[in-house]
Amino acid sequence: MSYTGKNFPSLSVNAMNEMGDTFKINVFEKAVKERKKILLFWYPKDFTFVCPTELHAFQEALPEFEMRNTILIGASCDTPEVHFAWLNTAKDNGGIEGVTYDILADSNRNLSSILGILDIQKVEYDLDLKSHLITGDNVTYRATYLIDEDGLVFHESVNHMPLGRNANDFIRLIDAYTHVQEKGEVCPANWEKGDEAMKADREGVAQYLSNH
């Protein structure tokens, strides 16, 4: 199910911070109560390969997100304890030491199941075992959600496991959405902060296309 244009699911999930504290985060409520945008990015597993490169890349871009009134939250299906072990593993040993934003620990897979982002290729019932068996790792794809100050999802995307993300792509989308919020204009293809936007009517698109 796509959540773009809808409220993000209101569900409290375990999380871990750099200090080793386990607590609950409700992403929807956090956006609304703190009046901030949220970038929530899911990755498959701790202690893997593409994943730490993404977490460090988002950490490097953290000041840019904070300048845009945006909270950064990572997420996977690992437990809080595994997150903390990874947070205490040095970068040059494949770890994420130095990451300061919170990381959801959706180990019961409640939120990722609601979002429909788990790698479950098929489910079959085994008559001998009298149980349903899953084909697939049952971990999340590289899904990303941008959520506004009212808890509304204004962007979602899902990458397959081998494809790492670029934090700048999401900075551009946040800039565009903020422009829409503040100016009431819409942002055309390839729009970047400072570019000309346009009115969402026939005259507006005609004028924009005549200028470009």
Side-chain angles (χ1 to χ4, degrees):
M1 174 182 175
S2 172
Y3 278 89
T4 300
K6 305 179 181 70
N7 286 341
F8 192 79
S10 181
L11 182 70
S12 294
V13 181
N14 281 336
M16 171 62 64
N17 63 21
E18 61 174 330
M19 304 303 295
D21 302 317
T22 300
F23 52 98
K24 296 280 188 181
I25 291 180
N26 182 312
V27 173
F28 172 81
E29 290 183 355
K30 189 174 184 67
V32 173
K33 289 180 179 179
E34 298 188 23
R35 301 307 298 166
K36 291 182 180 290
K37 293 181 177 68
I38 292 179
L39 187 156
L40 172 65
F41 74 97
W42 296 79
Y43 61 91
K45 299 177 184 178
D46 292 358
F47 292 99
T48 52
F49 317 113
V50 175
C51 297
T53 70
E54 289 196 309
L55 274 82
H56 285 297
F58 278 113
Q59 177 66 35
E60 290 173 8
L62 183 59
E64 294 294 327
F65 289 109
E66 291 176 339
M67 285 173 52
R68 291 162 171 81
N69 195 43
T70 300
I71 297 169
L72 192 60
I73 301 176
S76 79
C77 296
D78 295 280
T79 65
E81 294 79 11
V82 175
H83 282 340
F84 191 53
W86 204 25
L87 283 162
N88 280 281
T89 301
K91 182 178 180 180
D92 61 7
N93 197 29
I96 59 168
E97 187 177 34
V99 166
T100 60
Y101 49 82
D102 300 331
I103 305 175
L104 298 188
D106 188 35
S107 55
N108 56 19
R109 291 164 170 75
N110 284 338
L111 182 54
S112 50
S113 294
I114 292 169
L115 295 171
I117 56 174
L118 289 166
D119 173 24
I120 301 175
Q121 298 169 20
K122 63 180 178 179
V123 180
E124 294 182 321
Y125 188 77
D126 188 296
L127 291 174
D128 294 331
L129 297 174
K130 296 181 174 57
S131 180
H132 288 93
L133 302 181
I134 291 173
T135 300
D137 284 343
N138 201 25
V139 297
T140 65
Y141 293 107
R142 299 186 192 281
T144 313
Y145 296 85
L146 293 177
I147 302 151
D148 73 12
E149 298 88 345
D150 295 315
L152 184 83
V153 176
F154 64 93
H155 167 83
E156 63 181 306
S157 59
V158 183
N159 288 12
H160 201 5
M161 309 299 188
L163 302 177
R165 287 158 287 198
N166 186 329
N168 290 326
D169 294 341
F170 304 107
I171 291 172
R172 188 191 74 83
L173 289 167
I174 291 168
D175 285 341
Y177 191 75
T178 301
H179 183 92
V180 173
Q181 289 175 309
E182 294 177 350
K183 305 295 185 181
E185 298 178 319
V186 293
C187 296
N190 301 322
W191 185 93
E192 293 186 7
K193 189 174 183 179
D195 288 352
E196 178 187 356
M198 64 187 198
K199 294 180 180 179
D201 55 30
R202 184 179 180 84
E203 182 179 327
V205 67
Q207 181 177 346
Y208 179 85
L209 291 175
S210 68
N211 293 337
H212 296 83

